[in-house]
Amino acid sequence: MAKLKQAPAGGEIRLKRGLQRGTVIRIKFYAILTIAILFVLFAMNAEHFAPYDPIANDYACSLQPPSAEHICGTDKLGRDVYSRILCGAGGSFSMAFVMLIFVSTIGTTIGMLCGYFGGRFDVIMMRFVDVLLAFPDTVFAIAVAGMLGPGVLNAVIALGLLSWTSFARMARSLTASVREKDFIAQARFNGASTPRIILKYIFPNVAPQIIVMATMRIGGTILSLSSLSFLGLASQPPAPEWGVMVSESKAYMQTAPWMMIYPGLALVLTVVIFNLLGDSLRDVMDTKKQ
Amino acid sequence: MTEEKRVVLDVEDLCKDFVLENGSRLSAVDHVSFQIREGECFAVIGESGCGKTTLAKLITRVEEATSGRVIFQDRDITALGRGKMKSVLRDMQMIFQNVLSVVSPKMKIQDFLLEPYRNFRLMPKREALENIRRMLKSVRLTEAVLKKYPHQLSGGELQRICISRAFGMNPQLLICDEITSALDVSVQDDVMKLFRELQSQHGIACLFICHDLALVSNYSDRIMVMYLGQNVEIIDSADLGTKALHPYTRGLLQSFLFISSDRGRAIRTISGEPQSPVDVSANCRFCTRCPKASSRCFEEVPPLREVGPGHYVACFLLE
Ligand SMILES: Nc1ncnc2c1ncn2[C@@H]1O[C@H](COP(=O)(O)OP(=O)(O)OP(=O)(O)O)[C@@H](O)[C@H]1O
Ligand SMILES: [Mg+2]
């Protein structure tokens, strides 16, 4: 009897756990998504929240430590660090976002064409990708940005030149596997033309992974853009950009560490938020598939 | 008699060799010839891996044939270009073996069913939807399935959706690849009844691929037996139990229980190992398992000969 009673109980627990796992993943995803959306909304409207003008100098209060008036202190020119951080968020995010949309579109298009048609175009394209991937990406970006000259647009181009390749590779391998599926043969049977097959049948099956990949890249891209700014290759002073701010703080590391710490923390926080978003998006997709 | 009816599909000496990665050749379909006439249900049976699906794919040009010809409605379609083939495909429908994978997982059933109407520009969307609803009703499904994704449906439901799509196109030839193998026996019978009903209603010629001899002998008009890519016998279904001549067909019949058979009779199975289909030499494929094989069977390919009206056998032992 005892055994008989235990069996369904065990089954129930397992069932519950299975249910919980999916739900937990989903709740986690929505929580992080909410945070990320709030972050973006906040970043885009930062001017309304910033207590001070991020660019106007005020020599009267230069290099002040954090206080009630300036919660993150001020820099050499008396600008409020907190306001500069807030106003810098929007720029970093939108640059990364625009670049990723652009790069993933190009990468996915090329990858899908390679994967679908194969042949010589595919071979040439993929060898080209291999060559590009052989460069260490930061060094490559620095070299290209240096060649094109400093500027945000050039920095974005420099980063974009390499980062489309991983989207292309991913799209290519996904396309090559989807292509062999029966529903493609069936689609051709139903009279679908090749462009239609690529757009209506292959793309929807490739897109989720591409979106996950792009989301996971937001944090890293913000970081890379800031690094280039730090090196003086992207945003230029006096722009309130985090990399620029860290770079400006180098000379005051000991006397005014807040100038470096707070933009650094902002960068870490942003990267963590978007990486978590990417991870949990992937988890949600995985549970959906099962 | 079937003789007066128009030939819809004429397959002549069709061969397909797959070149494997290591360079050897796998002969999946080997000199297969047959004809299907209007309104006829022509069944192809054989064990798994004997090339049934490949045969269907050759006829529909999903795969290109190595040699041989496919003549559909008096037109050689073996070398037709893509555009012309498209107009042929409108009259030729195929229901694939694995229904679970024929609908893109990201596509709603409604979009899936609308595709042919849209792509072949058959009729405006509203009429097409009406047609689709009517066909769904005829396979006893409700409109609710239209809004669903394939993973929300059972195999049987998807199967019936595919059947409704194929019949809705009103094709001249319908190729069904094991449409019942994904279904359990109780549903199988329903689907088959439905299928026959629709087939006789629309008078469509049908190539019916199956590996279930009992099912086939009940629901088809003629049967072609395949063994490792070769066509070994073509016979009227009604004569299958009594007039089958090829040792393989007889072996199949003996290994399979007719409901009417007396219980005392022993079930015999076909003994021996089948040949590998890779790099075969020219012989009767069944020679290694044939109880009566002579030396000639190991050296030559037996030709298909007519031994009675509409009855063809490829075997040296009958000469
Ligand atoms: N694309 C391919 N490349 C190489 N070999 C193939 C290919 N497609 C099929 N084959 C081989 O051809 C033979 C016939 O395969 P086919 O799918 O036609 O069998 P089938 O009769 O439909 O079997 P089943 O009843 O299991 O569906 C098999 O030996 C298979 O391994
Ligand atoms: Mg098959």
Side-chain angles (χ1 to χ4, degrees), chain A residues 150-167:
Chain A
V152 182
L153 188 64
N154 290 348
V156 167
I157 292 174
L159 287 176
L161 273 182
L162 274 193
S163 61
W164 67 273
T165 53
S166 37
F167 289 97

Side-chain angles (χ1 to χ4, degrees), chain B residues 41-250:
Chain B
C41 184
F42 185 83
V44 176
I45 68 161
E47 56 199 58
S48 183
C50 70
K52 305 183 295 290
T53 301
T54 310
L55 178 65
K57 286 184 173 169
L58 291 177
I59 294 169
T60 53
R61 300 265 316 273
V62 174
E63 300 269 6
E64 295 300 327
T66 311
S67 66
R69 294 202 303 163
V70 178
I71 295 159
F72 177 61
Q73 298 190 303
D74 305 321
R75 189 167 171 203
D76 188 346
I77 61 166
T78 0
L80 278 190
R82 191 88 184 256
K84 283 188 182 151
M85 195 58 206
K86 191 169 159 175
S87 67
V88 171
L89 285 183
R90 196 174 358 183
D91 292 334
M92 204 195 252
Q93 283 292 312
M94 176 160 171
I95 302 176
F96 282 77
Q97 179 164 13
N98 190 357
V99 283
L100 297 174
S101 65
V102 297
V103 190
S104 164
K106 300 281 187 263
M107 207 173 214
K108 283 193 183 137
I109 298 301
Q110 171 163 334
D111 297 326
F112 169 72
L113 289 175
L114 275 173
E115 275 290 282
Y117 294 97
R118 187 197 162 279
N119 293 331
F120 294 126
R121 299 206 172 77
L122 294 183
M123 51 181 86
K125 187 172 169 181
R126 186 174 306 165
E127 270 175 60
L129 270 175
E130 242 163 58
N131 208 16
I132 286 171
R133 291 209 185 93
R134 210 183 52 239
M135 288 313 296
L136 279 180
K137 205 173 282 168
S138 74
V139 294
R140 289 166 206 121
L141 284 171
T142 58
E143 273 176 42
V145 297
L146 288 177
K147 295 276 172 280
K148 290 190 175 168
Y149 286 96
H151 66 91
Q152 295 168 318
L153 294 165
S154 75
E157 284 167 332
L158 275 175
Q159 190 62 272
R160 280 183 283 165
I161 286 171
C162 289
I163 292 176
S164 84
R165 180 194 53 84
F167 279 105
M169 298 303 298
N170 225 340
Q172 298 293 316
L173 176 71
L174 179 58
I175 301 176
C176 310
D177 192 356
E178 313 227 10
I179 57 169
T180 54
S181 61
L183 311 174
D184 53 49
V185 183
S186 55
V187 190
Q188 244 179 41
D189 216 49
D190 278 354
V191 169
M192 278 316 296
K193 282 211 188 84
L194 193 76
F195 181 84
R196 279 299 270 184
E197 203 180 295
L198 287 172
Q199 199 221 339
S200 55
Q201 212 175 70
H202 296 244
I204 294 169
C206 175
L207 178 71
F208 190 83
I209 295 173
C210 193
H211 59 237
D212 185 341
L213 201 56
L215 201 77
V216 155
S217 54
N218 282 333
Y219 290 106
S220 66
D221 302 319
R222 281 197 301 151
I223 295 179
M224 171 167 102
V225 184
M226 278 180 78
Y227 184 77
L228 287 182
Q230 281 178 343
N231 169 5
V232 299
E233 182 156 11
I234 298 177
I235 188 170
D236 278 0
S237 307
D239 298 339
L240 182 68
T242 48
K243 292 192 189 154
L245 289 174
H246 196 280
Y248 177 62
T249 318
R250 298 184 65 92

Side-chain angles (χ1 to χ4, degrees), chain A residues 81-164:
Chain A
V81 173
Y82 176 63
S83 304
R84 283 175 67 73
I85 289 176
L86 284 191
C87 296
S92 302
F93 173 76
S94 45
M95 272 301 150
F97 192 71
V98 170
M99 183 193 116
L100 282 170
I101 286 192
F102 205 64
V103 156
S104 57
T105 311
I106 291 182
T108 309
T109 310
I110 292 178
M112 287 205 313
L113 293 179
C114 285
Y116 188 80
F117 292 107
R120 198 173 298 162
F121 173 69
D122 176 38
V123 172
I124 294 173
M125 242 21 228
M126 284 304 124
R127 289 299 84 79
F128 180 57
V129 164
D130 286 341
V131 170
L132 285 181
L133 283 175
F135 291 106
D137 44 2
T138 319
V139 179
F140 185 82
I142 292 173
V144 173
M147 234 152 63
L148 294 176
V152 182
L153 188 64
N154 290 348
V156 167
I157 292 174
L159 287 176
L161 273 182
L162 274 193
S163 61
W164 67 273

